[in-house]
């Protein structure tokens, strides 16, 4: 992921960011070109949900369905909500990098911007990150899982930090 300032400063007053074309159009543009009708969006009362019929994962014979949920809650844990979606794929799979709700733990919220996904990178980049994560899970399970399995990606603390930065 490349370091870049995130110029999106939030929606105009009264508009939820998930409905703001200044955020949503650039976010989904390259993913829409790449995935076409297999990528759908649904705007609910409190969330914008993208569903992809399947992302290709190395070492997996079939594409894996993915759900990405952007919540309208303003900010999540020091990051803007638009930079911290929940990502669900392969629910119930054994993994050392999942959050308690079953979502993928893709990056640590307190990492510097160049080490984490943010909305300026777009959905296509997030989907690539998801595919890499799912491959790392396959590799980890095939090399022993909780009994010393190899995680092939960088690792960071899990979860959502509470309290001041240290």
């Amino acid at each position: 992921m490349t370091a870049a300032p995130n110029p999106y400063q939030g929606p105009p007053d009264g508009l939820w960011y998930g409905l703001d074309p200044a955020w949503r159009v650039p976010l989904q543009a390259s993913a829409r070109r790449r995935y076409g009708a297999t990528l759908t969006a649904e705007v609910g009362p409190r969330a914008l949900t993208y569903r992809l019929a399947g992302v290709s994962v190395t070492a997996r014979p079939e594409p894996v369905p993915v759900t990405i949920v952007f919540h309208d809650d303003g900010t999540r844990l020091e990051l803007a909500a638009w930079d911290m979606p929940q990502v669900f794929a392969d629910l119930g799979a054994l993994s050392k990098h999942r959050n308690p709700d079953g979502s993928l733990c893709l990056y640590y919220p307190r990492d510097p911007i160049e080490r984490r996904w943010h909305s300026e990178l777009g959905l296509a980049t997030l989907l690539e990150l998801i595919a890499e994560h799912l491959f790392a899970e396959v590799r980890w399970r095939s090399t022993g899982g909780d009994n010393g399995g190899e995680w092939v990606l960088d690792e960071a603390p899990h979860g959502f930090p509470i309290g001041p930065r240290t």
Side-chain angles (χ1 to χ4, degrees):
M1 287 178 260
T2 57
N6 191 343
Y8 185 71
Q9 299 300 310
D13 286 342
L15 182 66
W16 174 50
Y17 77 91
L19 297 177
D20 185 357
W23 176 79
R24 192 168 168 184
V25 171
L27 172 78
Q28 64 188 18
S30 62
R32 289 254 182 237
R33 284 191 297 274
R34 183 177 303 170
Y35 297 103
T38 65
L39 177 67
T40 63
E42 177 184 329
V43 179
R46 303 202 37 95
L48 168 62
T49 303
Y50 287 95
R51 287 187 176 81
L52 180 63
V55 65
S56 295
V57 177
T58 301
R60 299 277 303 255
E62 299 293 326
V64 178
V66 174
T67 300
I68 302 167
V69 183
F70 291 91
H71 296 277
D72 75 345
D73 58 0
T75 61
R76 289 184 71 201
L77 311 159
E78 304 171 15
L79 293 180
W82 52 82
D83 287 339
M84 195 69 192
Q86 285 180 294
V87 175
F88 298 94
D90 215 8
L91 290 174
L94 184 62
S95 175
K96 68 185 284 189
H97 289 284
R98 299 268 176 138
N99 295 311
D101 63 4
S103 63
L104 303 182
C105 181
L106 298 171
Y107 50 89
Y108 186 60
R110 287 190 174 162
D111 272 346
I113 196 166
E114 63 271 7
R115 287 191 45 86
R116 60 181 164 78
W117 180 86
H118 54 90
S119 62
E120 284 297 306
L121 296 172
L123 276 182
T125 300
L126 180 57
L127 289 162
E128 291 167 7
L129 178 63
I130 293 164
E132 289 174 2
H133 182 97
L134 293 172
F135 168 73
E137 288 184 345
V138 168
R139 175 73 180 163
W140 175 77
R141 287 189 296 269
S142 72
T143 59
D146 283 332
N147 297 315
E150 176 189 19
W151 189 262
V152 294
L153 299 175
D154 290 341
E155 296 186 82
H158 285 103
F160 304 107
I162 298 174
R165 289 176 179 261
T166 56

